[in-house]
């Protein structure tokens, strides 16, 4: 990290000076995995980060952030960076009173057409006193009620190992999202999504609203988090795959930490009005910080999954068990992880085994 002062003679005379700091960070991760159903898979990603912050004596500050991502996988060409690179950037302005506003932008450079494609954007305003108001291609409120069973690592998260988490959400494009300030650990989220038709494909949700409540605190010195969320799709662009008039998501989760152990439970259900189809998932997990450097975890899920490509929207029950471990070779700098899972379902069983790494500085 490097910092320098940017002052002109006139600024010095007026006793006004801007302190400018440029910082750089870098991280990388990758894995190799073998699955009965999907065969071999591999991935390597590089993530440089650049942050430029300018702070004036008056208390105003401006922060510009840029994070390009370069990656490749076994599904792309063998040369590194063969896939279309992705970039996240943001600009944040903060007033002396602590009010911040700005914009976030995500884009992908399409190598084939040599053009930038807008993946997502957001405009926001926030402070500790008023909370946060944002508009753009962002998660709806129910996304903030997402708690999955622990037992995941950098490359083998609980969702990957157990095939179903409590992180379902229909809203994304053109979403207006507000969350309250923190009230003794509680935060309330509310959102409305109504994307323009030109951004939608046939069957996509065109109007949704969502609410969520999240708590983070402690009980008798033990950490406790719990959430509950709700989302309702009130309209579609064309006819959705499930054929229903509306869809509803309800989900909840909780984690409780005692010493070196973290217990977790989560659940999600999706209801489709006008059909008899319901999808749901229940997950339980446990994390054990065996040593300062070794984290061991496991999870199990039970899910009912619908196949909307069939005439009767047939469903099947899936059970998945997952185990993982992560070891910090250099704390906060280099970790190695392994993961394994077993999926049992009427349509077929699957076993996944993998190993990976992550580096950051």
């Amino acid at each position: 990290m490097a910092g320098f002062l940017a002052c002109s003679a006139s600024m010095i005379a007026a006793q006004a000076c801007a302190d400018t700091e440029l910082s750089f960070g870098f991280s990388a991760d990758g894995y190799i995995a073998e699955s009965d159903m999907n065969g071999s898979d591999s991935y390597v990603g590089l993530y440089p980060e650049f942050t430029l912050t300018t702070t004036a004596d008056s208390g105003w500050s401006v922060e510009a952030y840029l994070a390009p991502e370069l990656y490749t996988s076994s599904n792309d060409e063998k040369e590194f960076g063969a896939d279309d690179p992705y970039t996240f950037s943001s600009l944040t302005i903060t007033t002396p009173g602590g009010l911040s506003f700005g914009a976030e932008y995500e884009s992908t450079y399409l190598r084939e057409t040599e053009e930038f494609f807008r993946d997502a954007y957001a405009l926001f305003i926030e402070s500790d006193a008023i909370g946060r108001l944002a508009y753009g291609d962002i998660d709806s409120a129910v996304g903030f009620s997402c708690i999955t069973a622990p037992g995941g690592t950098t490359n083998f998260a609980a969702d990957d190992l157990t095939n179903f988490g409590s992180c379902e959400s229909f809203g994304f494009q053109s979403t207006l999202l507000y969350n309250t300030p923190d009230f003794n650990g509680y935060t309330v989220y509310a959102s409305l999504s109504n994307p323009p038709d030109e951004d939608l494909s046939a069957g996509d949700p065109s109007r949704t609203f969502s609410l969520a409540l999240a708590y983070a605190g402690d009980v008798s010195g033990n950490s406790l988090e719990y959430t509950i969320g709700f989302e309702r799709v009130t309209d579609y662009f064309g006819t959705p795959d499930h054929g229903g008039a509306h869809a509803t998501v309800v989900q909840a989760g909780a984690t409780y930490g005692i010493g070196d152990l973290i217990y977790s439970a989560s659940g999600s259900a999706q209801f489709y009005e006008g059909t008899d189809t319901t999808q749901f998932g229940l997950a339980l997990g446990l994390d054990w910080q065996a040593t300062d450097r070794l984290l061991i975890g496991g999870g199990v899920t039970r899910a009912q999954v619908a196949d909307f490509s069939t005439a009767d929207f047939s469903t099947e029950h899936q059970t998945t068990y997952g185990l993982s471990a992560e070891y910090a070779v250099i704390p906060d700098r280099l970790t190695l992880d392994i993961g394994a899972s077993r999926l049992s379902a009427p349509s077929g069983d699957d076993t996944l085994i993998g190993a990976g790494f992550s580096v950051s500085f």
Side-chain angles (χ1 to χ4, degrees):
M1 179 181 293
F4 57 91
L5 291 177
C7 298
S8 67
S10 60
M11 292 171 62
I12 294 174
Q15 294 185 343
C17 182
D19 182 11
T20 300
E21 183 178 65
L22 175 65
S23 61
F24 169 77
F26 176 82
S27 62
D29 58 38
Y31 67 82
I32 54 174
E34 184 74 25
S35 167
D36 292 341
M37 287 186 177
N38 301 315
S40 299
D41 187 23
S42 64
Y43 173 92
V44 175
L46 301 179
Y47 316 102
E49 296 179 283
F50 305 90
T51 304
L52 180 65
T53 304
T54 299
T55 304
D57 288 345
S58 60
W60 286 82
S61 68
V62 178
E63 179 182 281
Y65 176 78
L66 177 66
E69 296 185 0
L70 302 174
Y71 51 88
T72 189
S73 72
S74 59
N75 298 320
D76 305 321
E77 301 174 28
K78 295 301 181 182
E79 61 188 87
F80 182 77
D83 206 356
D84 296 330
Y86 162 86
T87 300
F88 174 83
S89 57
S90 67
L91 179 68
T92 303
I93 301 173
T94 303
T95 69
L99 179 69
S100 297
F101 56 94
E104 298 172 347
Y105 188 79
E106 300 175 15
S107 64
T108 297
Y109 180 73
L110 304 179
R111 295 178 184 274
E112 184 176 351
T113 61
E114 297 184 347
E115 296 177 339
F116 282 96
F117 174 77
R118 191 204 86 198
D119 294 302
Y121 77 96
L123 304 174
F124 65 88
I125 183 170
E126 63 182 339
S127 77
D128 293 339
I130 67 171
R132 178 183 172 96
L133 179 67
Y135 176 81
D137 301 327
I138 53 180
D139 287 337
S140 60
V142 77
F144 293 87
S145 65
C146 171
I147 288 183
T148 56
T153 63
T154 301
N155 293 298
F156 304 100
D159 273 356
D160 300 329
L161 293 173
T162 54
N163 202 47
F164 199 98
S166 64
C167 298
E168 301 302 312
S169 175
F170 293 108
F172 173 67
Q173 294 177 315
S174 300
T175 296
L176 180 66
L177 170 69
Y178 172 72
N179 65 263
T180 66
D182 184 315
F183 294 113
N184 296 321
Y186 288 96
T187 305
V188 177
Y189 300 85
S191 68
L192 176 67
S193 301
N194 188 14
D197 291 348
E198 57 266 24
D199 290 341
L200 300 175
S201 301
D204 287 346
S206 59
R207 185 177 296 110
T208 69
F209 68 89
S210 179
L211 293 170
L213 172 69
Y215 173 80
D218 62 81
V219 176
S220 302
N222 299 318
S223 64
L224 172 65
E225 295 183 17
Y226 58 83
T227 64
I228 184 169
F230 163 88
E231 186 165 57
R232 173 76 164 172
V233 180
T234 59
D235 200 5
Y236 288 91
F237 181 68
T239 303
D241 292 340
H242 55 76
H246 304 290
T248 301
V249 170
V250 179
Q251 62 189 30
T255 65
Y256 187 58
I258 304 177
D260 295 329
L261 300 175
I262 300 178
Y263 303 88
S264 182
S266 61
S268 177
Q270 302 170 38
F271 307 96
Y272 301 92
E273 186 177 302
T275 76
D276 295 327
T277 302
T278 300
Q279 294 192 112
F280 70 83
L282 300 172
L284 297 173
L286 175 66
D287 263 353
W288 174 38
Q289 192 70 52
T291 71
D292 291 342
R293 298 192 178 193
L294 178 63
L295 175 69
I296 300 174
V300 57
T301 65
R302 177 69 170 174
Q304 176 173 288
V305 180
D307 184 355
F308 294 120
S309 66
T310 61
D312 59 351
F313 306 144
S314 61
T315 60
E316 71 172 17
H317 289 91
Q318 301 177 350
T319 303
T320 312
Y321 304 91
L323 293 172
S324 65
E326 185 169 67
Y327 182 76
V329 180
I330 304 175
D332 302 322
R333 292 291 182 265
L334 171 63
T335 62
L336 303 177
D337 57 353
I338 58 174
S341 67
R342 176 66 177 175
L343 165 68
S344 299
S347 60
D349 299 336
D350 188 27
T351 300
L352 179 145
I353 300 175
F357 74 94
S358 63
V359 179
S360 64
F361 66 85

